[in-house]
Amino acid sequence: DTEVTQTPKHLVMGMTNKKSLKCEQHMGHRAMYWYKQKAKKPPELMFVYSYEKLSINESVPSRFSPECPNSSLLNLHLHALQPEDSALYLCASRGQVNTGELFFGEGSRLTVL
Amino acid sequence: QKEVEQDPGPLSVPEGAIVSLNCTYSNSAFQYFMWYRQYSRKGPELLMYTYSSGNKEDGRFTAQVDKSSKYISLFIRDSQPSDSATYLCAPVETMVGNTGFQKLVFGTGTRLLVSP
């Protein structure tokens, strides 16, 4: 079983809703990532947090708002999404520094109606 | 041209076959090369990684990198139906600036089907 836990596993929301995705890891990793994955495509990097500070934002629209309350938790707040935002949202935490070793959660499958 | 090219498959093999999965890349600065396995509707799982050129073996899996030809391979011996998944190669890029972060540059993934 993965040591990165994501909730909820499935989420359906309307374009006017506000919802949040949550991610938790207890491996002591200090960098956490959000990725977006569309069907039959590889994951695309969205955000990177290091020591609870936002370090990388890959030009993601502001309707996605990340938050890192502490070193174990990562949230992704969603507001006014579009149907094309429907995807699998993956959280990952970084293992060994310099190697790119990432541990992924099972993802939250989002459907925007 | 994409930075990392990978045949999407599907690649269908019988149980017990030796499987060869491959990627090519264009950025000579890549130093670490990751292989992830992703089952349907699940997150990617790190299989193994190599540093620079050479081979690395872990059980039935062998990862191989040839930096001179910019070619990455993953071999699976005695393939099992449980190996049926999408395999993603991901060279690692050091991000510019003072972030010091590494970014996985994913290939498109190759879907492998192992039949009993």
Side-chain angles (χ1 to χ4, degrees):
Chain A
D1 286 343
T2 181
E3 296 183 72
V4 177
T5 304
Q6 291 188 243
T7 56
K9 291 194 186 310
H10 301 276
L11 178 63
V12 179
M13 60 186 291
M15 290 190 285
T16 58
N17 292 157
K18 285 186 180 181
K19 297 285 185 183
S20 297
L21 306 180
K22 297 184 185 304
C23 175
E24 190 168 1
Q25 60 90 11
H26 294 289
M27 295 179 282
H29 295 164
R30 301 310 299 268
M32 295 180 74
Y33 297 62
W34 280 115
Y35 280 84
K36 173 183 177 180
Q37 187 176 28
K38 302 281 275 184
K40 299 189 187 303
K41 298 290 187 183
E44 298 174 28
L45 182 63
M46 299 176 73
F47 303 104
V48 180
Y49 271 84
S50 176
Y51 290 86
E52 296 91 71
K53 292 192 189 318
L54 182 63
S55 297
I56 304 288
N57 177 341
E58 292 280 88
S59 303
V60 179
S62 59
R63 58 186 184 269
F64 295 91
S65 176
E67 178 196 21
C68 189
N70 60 57
S71 59
S72 300
L73 293 175
L74 188 64
N75 298 322
L76 186 63
H77 302 297
L78 314 171
H79 174 53
L81 295 193
Q82 304 297 310
E84 59 264 29
D85 296 322
S86 299
L88 181 68
Y89 287 85
L90 294 161
C91 173
S93 67
R94 185 180 68 182
Q96 291 190 55
V97 178
N98 298 326
T99 65
E101 181 185 59
L102 294 187
F103 295 90
F104 285 86
E106 294 201 346
S108 293
R109 187 162 298 280
L110 173 67
T111 301
V112 182
L113 301 176
Chain B
Q1 183 189 5
K2 292 181 182 177
E3 265 195 295
V4 180
E5 298 276 0
Q6 189 175 9
D7 187 334
L11 175 62
S12 296
V13 300
E15 183 175 357
I18 297 175
V19 175
S20 173
L21 303 166
N22 308 295
C23 294
T24 58
Y25 64 93
S26 56
N27 187 345
S28 58
F30 292 147
Q31 294 284 358
Y32 285 91
F33 302 87
M34 325 296 280
W35 280 99
Y36 284 85
R37 175 174 64 192
Q38 187 171 22
Y39 291 111
S40 181
R41 309 181 84 81
K42 300 286 188 183
E45 170 194 11
L46 179 62
L47 272 178
M48 58 196 305
Y49 66 87
T50 53
Y51 173 72
S52 194
S53 283
N55 291 2
K56 186 174 183 179
E57 188 175 323
D58 185 0
R60 296 186 295 112
F61 298 86
T62 300
Q64 193 172 78
V65 175
D66 182 346
K67 290 195 76 179
S68 63
S69 58
K70 298 188 177 68
Y71 199 79
I72 313 165
S73 299
L74 179 71
F75 300 97
I76 308 175
R77 290 184 299 281
D78 187 25
S79 56
Q80 302 295 309
S82 58
D83 295 328
S84 298
T86 295
Y87 290 79
L88 296 148
C89 67
V92 179
E93 176 183 40
T94 298
M95 302 186 80
V96 295
N98 62 357
T99 64
F101 283 99
Q102 293 74 42
K103 178 179 179 179
L104 300 178
V105 184
F106 283 101
T108 53
T110 298
R111 187 171 169 223
L112 173 66
L113 302 171
V114 182
S115 54

